[in-house]
Each structure stands twice: as structure tokens, then as C-alpha cells.
């Protein structure tokens, strides 16, 4: 996979993604530096500084309202769509601040795709759902592209032969995997997931969890989850936000769950928080 052309965020930065990927395995791909996010007068993130490693699963956990989704949305500038939202500080993707004036947010979102909580396929065929991202880039999508994305999302064997039927006719779990296929078809580098299994039954959720581990071979995955067991099962690294939009601890997942440095994190993990 990953044979697509590298599309620059700005017109000058043309690089070979394959070369870049193999050279940069285990390096930082995303970095927040003093990131502050306000909604009007309310501060949702407070001076967040963090380095997210490439091709790993990084989980974001913490109580409701602590800023997990806000942080996720600030990575690919989905917060741009919220009028009252103001971002300060830096969010670097491969060393480039995504908030620089010369960054095209649409090009950015092709490199940093997103999967939402509730499966949201378009009311179109399975094929059209998968090829959507390529078509909006003006690229033609071949049958191979469709098969590759559906295989990547562990859905191919279930939909092969019915690519022209509606994405809405699939089960909830299949729809979420279709959304993952849609997110990976344009060959992004990062896939952001905001509670991708919380609307699914346990069997469907478990399939997505298995898939996330597979995706991390090829992509960097950053996942918000309210389910601590899920974070412990599927992630390599865990960020813990607590009330007030503060990132209180960020370490490898085993350390966070077995030996956290911060007492408040230990209290949260063991259910004593609040
Ligand atoms: P979490 O994902 O951890 O539940 P959020 O990032 O959704 O937290 O929210 C963090 C804070 O920002 C909360 O106080 C929430 O009310 C506020 N917030 C989130 N989205 C918006 C929005 N679109 N407009 C105004 N405030 C928002």
C-alpha cells in the first residue's frame, strides 16, 4: 500500500512518502507546543505540549469535557469550522505548523483523515463511499484502489461482489469499517478517531479494535476513547487529560496503567477521580 503520490500541504514541499516513511519510523509525526484552545471566553485546552510518535496508536483518555475531542480536532483543523474557537500555540505536522497561513486545511485533511463516533457513510454505493476522497482530489479511482482500501479496513471479504449496493445497507460495524476505508483510500499519514466504537455492539467494536492495530503498521493512529480498557488493549502510548484541558501525563500505555507518575492519573485510572 502507500503507493499514492505525496501531496504537499503547500506547493513547494514535494517528497517521496515511501522514503520518508521508512526513514522516519518511530519518529515524532505530530507535536503540540503550548497549544491553547478557547471557545469564546472558555478555555478548553491549556498549554498542551506533546510529541506523538509515527505509526503507533496513541490513545487520548480523560473525563468528559476535559478537551479530548478539542485536541483531536485541532490536529487537522476541524476546529476551523467552529466560529467561536480560537487556537494559540503550535501544532506541528512533520515540523510544519498546521496553523501557518500557507497551509491549506483541505490538503491537510487528506493527510490527516478522521473517523467519527457514529458511522456516517454517504447515501451512496459502497464503491462511491470509498472513492469519494480520491474523486474530490480530481483523481480517478481504480478497482484496485477500492479493493486496497476495503482490504485495509478489513471489509473486503464481506462486500466483494456488492460494491454497487448502498453503504447504508451495511450493519453498524460494517458502516464504521466503510468509513475507515473512506478515510484511508486517499492514503493519509495519520488517522484520527473520535470514540469510533462507542456506537457499536461489542463484537463489531472488537473487530474495529483488531483493525486499529493493523492500521498502525501503515498509519499513525490517534484515538479518543472514554473506555480505559480499550485504551489499555489497543494503544502504544496514552495521553491523559484531566479537567481544565490540561495534559497531565503522556507516556507508554503500560506505564500509564501500571505505574503512572501523577497521583491524579492513578486516581482516575483506578476510578477514584472526582
Ligand atoms: P471531551 O472530548 O473530553 O469530552 P471536548 O473537547 O468535547 O471534551 O470539550 C472540552 C470543553 O470545550 C468542554 O467544556 C466543552 O463544553 C467545550 N466545547 C467543546 N466543543 C465546543 C463548541 N463547539 N462550542 C463551545 N464549547 C465547546
Amino acid at each position: 500500500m502507500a503507493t499514492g503520490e505525496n501531496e504537499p500541504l503547500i506547493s513547494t514541499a514535494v517528497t517521496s512518502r515511501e522514503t520518508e516513511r521508512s526513514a522516519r519510523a518511530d519518529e515524532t509525526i505530530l507535536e503540540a507546543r503550548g497549544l491553547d484552545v478557547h471557545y469564546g471566553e472558555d478555555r478548553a485546552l491549556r498549554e498542551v505540549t506533546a510529541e506523538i510518535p509515527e505509526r503507533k496508536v496513541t490513545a487520548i483518555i480523560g473525563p468528559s469535557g476535559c478537551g479530548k475531542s478539542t485536541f483531536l480536532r485541532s490536529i487537522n483543523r476541524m476546529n476551523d469550522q467552529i466560529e467561536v474557537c480560537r487556537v494559540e500555540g503550535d501544532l506541528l505536522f512533520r515540523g510544519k505548523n498546521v496553523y501557518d497561513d500557507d497551509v491549506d486545511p483541505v490538503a491537510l485533511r487528506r493527510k490527516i483523515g478522521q473517523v467519527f463516533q457514529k458511522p456516517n457513510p454517504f447515501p451512496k454505493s459502497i464503491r462511491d463511499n470509498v472513492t469519494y476522497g480520491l474523486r474530490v482530489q480530481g483523481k480517478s479511482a481504480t478497482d484496485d484502489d477500492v479493493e486496497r482500501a476495503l482490504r485495509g479496513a478489513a471489509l473486503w471479504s464481506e462486500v466483494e461482489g456488492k460494491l454497487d449496493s448502498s453503504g447504508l445497507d451495511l450493519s453498524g460495524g460494517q458502516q464504521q469499517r466503510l468509513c475507515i476505508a473512506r478515510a484511508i483510500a486517499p492514503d493519509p499519514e495519520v488517522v484520527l478517531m473520535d470514540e469510533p466504537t462507542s456506537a457499536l455492539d461489542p463484537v463489531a467494536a472488537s473487530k474495529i479494535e483488531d483493525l486499529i492495530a493493523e492500521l498502525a503498521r501503515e498509519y499513525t493512529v490517534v484515538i479518543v476513547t472514554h473506555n480505559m480498557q480499550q485504551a489499555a488493549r489497543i494503544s502504544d502510548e496514552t495521553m491523559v487529560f484531566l479537567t481544565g484541558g490540561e495534559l497531565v501525563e503522556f507516556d507508554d500505555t503500560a506505564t500509564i496503567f501500571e505505574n503512572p507518575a501523577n497521583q491524579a492519573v492513578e486516581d482516575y485510572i483506578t476510578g477514584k477521580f472526582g
Side-chain angles (χ1 to χ4, degrees):
M1 231 170 125
T3 52
E5 277 173 49
N6 191 59
E7 187 179 350
L9 297 183
I10 54 174
S11 54
T12 49
V14 180
T15 52
S16 156
R17 169 107 56 87
E18 279 298 332
T19 313
E20 210 171 76
R21 277 184 171 168
S22 50
R24 290 179 188 237
D26 292 326
E27 286 191 10
T28 296
I29 187 168
L30 296 163
E31 182 176 356
R33 286 195 200 145
L35 190 73
D36 265 324
V37 177
H38 284 83
Y39 295 103
E41 295 296 303
D42 300 327
R43 193 176 192 179
L45 289 183
R46 185 175 294 269
E47 303 250 330
V48 175
T49 293
E51 293 183 13
I52 295 178
E54 182 170 15
R55 273 188 284 178
K56 296 261 194 290
V57 179
T58 297
I60 305 177
I61 63 170
S64 186
C66 68
K68 302 182 296 295
S69 300
T70 298
F71 180 72
L72 200 74
R73 288 195 303 258
S74 64
I75 295 174
N76 67 349
R77 291 184 52 174
M78 293 293 276
N79 283 333
D80 284 11
Q81 292 159 9
I82 302 172
E83 209 171 307
V84 293
C85 185
R86 195 173 80 247
V87 178
E88 287 159 9
D90 295 336
L91 194 298
L92 309 178
F93 170 48
R94 293 209 182 284
K96 169 79 179 161
N97 190 353
V98 303
Y99 289 93
D100 281 351
D101 289 344
D102 58 358
V103 171
D104 172 5
V106 177
L108 177 71
R109 290 180 204 129
R110 277 179 214 133
K111 296 195 159 256
I112 307 180
Q114 190 154 0
V115 175
F116 298 89
Q117 180 171 359
K118 202 167 168 293
N120 59 348
F122 301 131
K124 289 174 177 291
S125 70
I126 292 168
R127 185 195 312 275
D128 284 351
N129 268 280
V130 175
T131 59
Y132 173 81
L134 291 164
R135 283 184 288 114
V136 295
Q137 290 175 54
K139 292 183 180 165
S140 56
T142 64
D143 287 348
D144 281 351
D145 293 327
V146 174
E147 180 175 341
R148 194 185 55 176
L150 287 167
R151 281 191 189 281
L155 187 58
W156 174 251
S157 62
E158 292 159 59
V159 300
E160 183 186 6
K162 53 175 185 175
L163 298 180
D164 293 316
S165 55
S166 172
L168 297 179
D169 291 341
L170 298 172
S171 71
Q174 289 173 324
Q175 288 188 12
Q176 193 62 309
R177 281 179 282 139
L178 179 60
C179 294
I180 292 171
R182 185 175 67 193
I184 63 176
D187 207 16
E189 296 190 52
V190 179
V191 181
L192 307 178
M193 298 186 167
D194 197 346
E195 304 205 11
T197 65
S198 63
L200 305 178
D201 67 71
V203 173
S206 163
K207 277 192 184 157
I208 302 264
E209 287 190 7
D210 292 345
L211 172 58
I212 287 169
E214 283 299 309
L215 290 173
R217 292 166 183 265
E218 188 97 20
Y219 309 99
T220 300
V221 178
V222 185
I223 175 172
V224 168
T225 176
H226 67 268
N227 180 332
M228 283 193 272
Q229 287 76 21
Q230 179 173 73
R233 276 194 300 269
I234 68 170
S235 69
D236 302 295
E237 305 280 323
T238 298
M239 308 174 79
V240 189
F241 284 84
L242 292 179
T243 312
E246 201 181 336
L247 175 61
V248 289
E249 196 164 344
F250 182 14
D251 211 327
D252 63 83
T253 296
T255 301
I256 292 287
F257 284 93
E258 289 160 23
N259 191 22
N262 186 297
Q263 185 62 43
V265 171
E266 182 165 340
D267 289 350
Y268 177 66
I269 301 285
T270 55
K272 287 189 223 143
F273 184 79

